[in-house]
Amino acid sequence: MKKQNIITFVSLLTLVFSANAVDKYVSDNVDVYLRRGPSSNYAFSGSVKAGDKVVELEKSADGKYTRIQTRNGGSAWIESAKLSENPSYKERFPELEAQLAEYKDKVENAEKHQQDMVKSYVEKLQVSDELVETLQNKNKALEAKSKQLETQLESMLNQVDDKRRDLIVTWFTYGGLVAGGGLILGLILPHIIPRRRNKDRWMR
């Protein structure tokens, strides 16, 4: 019965200390031996591996030792200097591995995105080059057509000028003929008409 009371008392103490428990991490660079009490005078009671997560239950009066609860549920004392509040690399490794995978994925996606952008720019540049070449060919065709039309227009203007000159010469020729014919008639008629009148008078 007395033994059961002692066990109950120890369990209650464990619960009290657990209420104030703080997570701690064993330093990464050591495998630490645990002691049965808060000084080097106490015997070893086991060890913890570097990077293990433990629960701080209490500190010694001088603060040099800390009573911890290990992963198997037991408790022992460890030098306070060999504990850290920051997660060990052993604890952080899965998180770091996940972050590394995330960063790697981002880098790969960034490279793929950059490659896609470069490919898109190259395609757009090729389309632009083809469009420029097409416009240049159309421009050359339009220039050739324009020169052809200019040549045809110049030929037509020359033909119009030739016809205009021919028409002017024709009109001048007709005018000269009419004027000459009128002059001849004017000279001939006076001679013809009087003779007829004299002949008529003689007949009478």
Side-chain angles (χ1 to χ4, degrees), residues 7-189:
I7 293 173
T8 303
F9 178 73
V10 171
S11 299
L12 289 173
L13 284 177
T14 303
L15 289 173
V16 171
F17 286 123
S18 297
N20 298 321
V22 179
D23 290 342
K24 293 286 184 177
Y25 298 89
V26 180
S27 298
D28 289 314
N29 56 349
V30 291
D31 285 343
V32 182
Y33 288 99
L34 303 176
R35 294 185 180 274
R36 297 182 183 277
S39 73
S40 59
N41 296 327
Y42 288 88
F44 294 114
S45 65
S47 65
V48 288
K49 292 185 177 296
D52 278 354
K53 181 180 180 180
V54 296
V55 178
E56 179 184 311
L57 299 177
E58 62 174 316
K59 285 185 179 295
S60 62
D62 58 6
K64 292 183 178 180
Y65 281 81
T66 299
R67 192 166 76 88
I68 61 171
Q69 183 178 0
T70 59
R71 289 181 182 270
N72 59 12
S75 65
W77 291 84
I78 187 174
E79 292 181 52
S80 300
K82 294 180 179 179
L83 294 176
S84 172
E85 294 182 356
N86 298 321
S88 63
Y89 288 113
K90 181 179 179 181
E91 291 289 329
R92 294 172 59 193
F93 183 76
E95 179 185 356
L96 294 173
E97 193 174 31
Q99 290 181 354
L100 180 62
E102 182 182 356
Y103 293 147
K104 184 178 179 181
D105 184 62
K106 287 182 178 179
V107 169
E108 289 177 353
N109 287 337
E111 290 179 354
K112 185 177 182 302
H113 179 65
Q114 185 176 9
Q115 290 175 356
D116 291 341
M117 288 181 62
V118 170
K119 183 179 179 181
S120 176
Y121 289 147
V122 169
E123 290 176 353
K124 289 181 179 179
L125 183 60
Q126 289 177 348
V127 172
S128 299
D129 290 341
E130 292 175 357
L131 180 60
V132 169
E133 184 177 359
T134 301
L135 291 175
Q136 287 177 345
N137 292 334
K138 287 184 177 180
N139 187 45
K140 290 179 180 178
L142 289 173
E143 287 179 353
K145 186 67 175 179
S146 177
K147 289 181 180 179
Q148 182 181 0
L149 291 174
E150 287 179 358
T151 303
Q152 291 178 355
L153 179 60
E154 185 177 358
S155 176
M156 291 174 66
L157 291 175
N158 291 333
Q159 291 177 5
V160 169
D161 289 338
D162 292 340
K163 289 182 179 180
R164 185 182 299 167
R165 284 193 295 269
D166 293 341
L167 183 61
I168 292 172
V169 171
T170 301
W171 277 106
F172 272 112
T173 302
Y174 289 159
L177 291 174
V178 170
L183 179 61
I184 293 171
L185 287 174
L187 293 174
I188 294 173
L189 287 176

Side-chain angles (χ1 to χ4, degrees), residues 197-204:
R197 287 179 180 177
N198 291 333
K199 186 177 181 180
D200 290 342
R201 287 179 184 175
W202 185 76
M203 290 284 299
R204 287 178 183 178

